[in-house]
Amino acid sequence: MQETILDTKVNTKAKIAVNDKEIKEIYACEKTFERIFLGALFGPHAPHFIAGWRSDFRDQDENTRAMVYFLHHATSLDMTLPVWIARYEQERMLKFIDIPIESCGRSSPLRVALQASAPDLLLILLRYGAEPNPPDGGSSAIVALLDKLTENGRNYLYQNVSCLQILLRNIPLIEMPYKL
């Protein structure tokens, strides 16, 4: 089954894969879904500088709508894909939304949204089930955000505070690392 993005108010005539097999074929070819996430996170021109390819969409809003479109379909299919986790030296099955973005240091889309200080995208990712604790065993999203907040002393960016509020509303348990 294929639908056009035009149905989701994105102004393009490109055909978009919406079934399990086609999304898995995209992953088998690229081993990442950064083409879907980077344009929404950084705008249509950034992927060219970050990963060496141009966005398939006209602007950041269109990229975001396309990302939501894919998230909706992958979530409704309850899609998981195998990802190599170097720390554990094995493959683990991860949800579509948690597949690492290769050109961003293999960080999850949620972690990249936090680094980009994008509360609107963070909210979308959490709504579709993004895992705030990374599958590679790294520090939790809340710890990373707290570290980011302390970078500038007491000059907190509004976007970072918004991200913190969103995370605190969505994470039932916060495990803080033990520091001496």
Side-chain angles (χ1 to χ4, degrees), residues 149-164:
L149 279 167
T150 60
E151 285 175 356
N152 297 324
R154 292 187 180 262
N155 297 326
Y156 305 125
L157 293 175
Y158 176 76
Q159 292 87 349
N160 290 339
V161 174
S162 294
C163 288
L164 180 62

Side-chain angles (χ1 to χ4, degrees), residues 2 5-6 27-28 30 32 41 45 58 72 83 98 105-106 109 116 118-119 122 125 132 143 145 153 155 171:
Q2 288 189 348
I5 286 188
L6 199 54
Y27 182 71
E30 298 186 10
T32 184
L41 290 164
H45 303 294
R58 190 183 53 217
H72 173 75
V83 176
D98 294 323
R106 294 192 49 80
L122 176 66
L125 294 170
V143 171
L145 185 57
N155 297 326
I171 298 176

Side-chain angles (χ1 to χ4, degrees), residues 86-120:
R87 182 174 189 167
Y88 300 118
E89 296 182 1
Q90 66 180 355
E91 276 190 351
R92 294 217 172 157
M93 297 301 285
L94 297 182
K95 294 184 291 186
F96 172 87
I97 198 167
D98 294 323
I99 301 291
I101 299 175
E102 293 292 326
S103 59
C104 293
R106 294 192 49 80
S107 295
S108 70
L110 183 129
R111 180 63 63 101
V112 177
L114 284 174
Q115 285 300 113
S117 301
D120 51 341

Side-chain angles (χ1 to χ4, degrees), residues 4-172:
T4 62
I5 286 188
L6 199 54
D7 295 338
T8 58
K9 299 179 184 172
V10 176
N11 295 324
T12 184
K13 295 181 181 181
K15 293 283 186 177
I16 297 298
V18 295
N19 71 32
D20 183 316
K21 181 182 174 193
E22 291 169 334
I23 293 175
K24 286 181 179 179
E25 286 176 7
I26 293 170
Y27 182 71
C29 179
E30 298 186 10
K31 292 295 183 203
T32 184
F33 291 109
E34 64 186 34
R35 285 183 177 268
I36 295 169
F37 292 109
L38 283 182
L41 290 164
F42 301 113
H45 303 294
H48 176 68
F49 298 108
I50 295 171
W53 50 266
R54 297 212 182 270
S55 175
D56 297 326
F57 303 99
R58 190 183 53 217
D59 57 27
Q60 192 165 4
D61 289 336
E62 194 171 285
N63 275 280
T64 302
R65 286 191 299 272
M67 179 187 75
V68 168
Y69 180 83
F70 274 102
L71 287 173
H72 173 75
H73 288 289
T75 303
S76 67
L77 293 168
D78 198 25
M79 183 178 297
T80 59
L81 297 158
V83 176
W84 178 258
I85 307 292
R87 182 174 189 167
Y88 300 118
E89 296 182 1
Q90 66 180 355
E91 276 190 351
R92 294 217 172 157
M93 297 301 285
L94 297 182
K95 294 184 291 186
F96 172 87
I97 198 167
D98 294 323
I99 301 291
I101 299 175
E102 293 292 326
S103 59
C104 293
R106 294 192 49 80
S107 295
S108 70
L110 183 129
R111 180 63 63 101
V112 177
L114 284 174
Q115 285 300 113
S117 301
D120 51 341
L121 295 176
L122 176 66
L123 193 57
I124 291 169
L125 294 170
L126 287 168
R127 175 178 283 167
Y128 282 99
E131 180 59 48
N133 296 316
D136 64 0
S139 65
S140 72
I142 197 86
V143 171
L145 185 57
L146 289 173
D147 288 341
K148 186 173 176 130
L149 279 167
T150 60
E151 285 175 356
N152 297 324
R154 292 187 180 262
N155 297 326
Y156 305 125
L157 293 175
Y158 176 76
Q159 292 87 349
N160 290 339
V161 174
S162 294
C163 288
L164 180 62
Q165 290 172 332
I166 291 166
L167 282 176
L168 290 174
R169 286 188 204 127
N170 287 282
I171 298 176

